Amino acid sequence: MTESNTELPLVSVLISSYNHADFIEASIRSVYAQSYPNIELLVVDDGSRDGSVELIQQLQAELGFDFLAQPNKGLCTTLNEMIARSRGRYIASLGSDDVMLPERFSLQVPFMEQHPETGICAGGIVLIDGEGKPLPEKKQRHRPARRLDFDDLFMDRKPGPPAPTLLFRREALDKVGGFDPTIRIEDYYVELRIARAGYFIDILEEPIALYRVHGSNTYKNRRLMIETELAIYKRFSDHPGYEATRLRYLNAMFTKVANEDRELAAELLAQIPWRSRNLKTLKGLWRYWLKR
């Protein structure tokens, strides 16, 4: 990894580390394994208490990337500060528990250079477990290449971009003011804002990252995910599809949590009017009563 290839756009990779001592080394080394030669890496430890700082310092001494350790500020604030210090035309935020595949930027950067209307380029993922082993084939997500505009993303017309693969055009991030610290789950909201600003989101078919499934994944905190998603939808309540989108999501989440968390399921069901209940609601009710 070098910055001497000045004819190629610089990619800034940002890793905000938080209590991922078991995974952070694989994430960092995957950046240095890229076939694309013009990359800078910035790493910030955001208040870890598990020995991450000492491990990252050892890796910094070996590899020479930019590293700061700080008290916990939260992911969005940390990412915005890292963006301000970075120099790349393109920005990639990598979770400190995820891994890039070697051809990632060699695929994404040429695509972005050829498509100035694209604000975010993403790609496919391979799901792995906590030890780095691929999950069974039946659990993998193989999806075709696709282009999304705001309506596609907001109304869930097409599958959205996998978070570990997002490559942002700096210009697009700057246009929407970066990440919003008031939103706990940052990626979906910034995607929507960039799409609403007039950019497309393009998702390549090729797998370009490994997404690690383990006990502390954010998506497993159902209440946080649901409350955040509904708050995000509300930010776009002026959109004509807002109510349909909100109700579709409530129905889907009620079905998911019906046999996991009866209290949360009851709260969601109370928000779904009778006229808006559908086959998913019935499926969720079956799970809900079966759990009693």
Side-chain angles (χ1 to χ4, degrees), residues 71-101:
N72 185 266
K73 295 184 178 182
L75 180 57
C76 290
T77 296
T78 299
L79 288 176
N80 286 336
E81 292 177 355
M82 295 171 83
I83 291 167
R85 293 195 291 113
S86 69
R87 300 176 291 114
R89 184 185 305 175
Y90 299 110
I91 308 290
S93 169
L94 181 66
S96 53
D97 52 350
D98 297 323
V99 176
M100 298 181 180
L101 292 175

Side-chain angles (χ1 to χ4, degrees), residues 2-48:
T2 175
E3 296 176 30
S4 61
N5 247 324
T6 53
E7 72 276 8
L8 295 173
L10 180 64
V11 176
S12 297
V13 179
L14 316 179
I15 299 179
S16 176
S17 169
Y18 182 68
N19 288 340
H20 279 159
D22 291 340
F23 311 131
I24 184 65
E25 180 172 2
S27 296
I28 289 173
R29 291 198 184 277
S30 75
V31 180
Y32 281 85
Q34 289 296 298
S35 60
Y36 187 82
N38 201 18
I39 301 172
E40 66 170 1
L41 172 62
L42 288 75
V43 181
V44 170
D45 186 87
D46 192 33
S48 293

Side-chain angles (χ1 to χ4, degrees), residues 150 154 180 182-193 196 224-238 242 245:
F150 178 83
F154 184 67
D180 188 336
T182 66
I183 296 293
R184 292 280 302 277
I185 301 169
E186 80 293 341
D187 48 355
Y188 182 50
Y189 187 45
V190 79
E191 291 161 16
L192 285 167
R193 290 160 62 215
R196 199 169 214 195
L224 171 64
M225 289 290 296
I226 291 168
E227 290 176 352
T228 302
E229 193 105 350
L230 291 172
I232 290 171
Y233 291 147
K234 194 169 184 180
R235 300 281 180 103
F236 301 97
S237 58
D238 59 333
Y242 164 68
T245 295

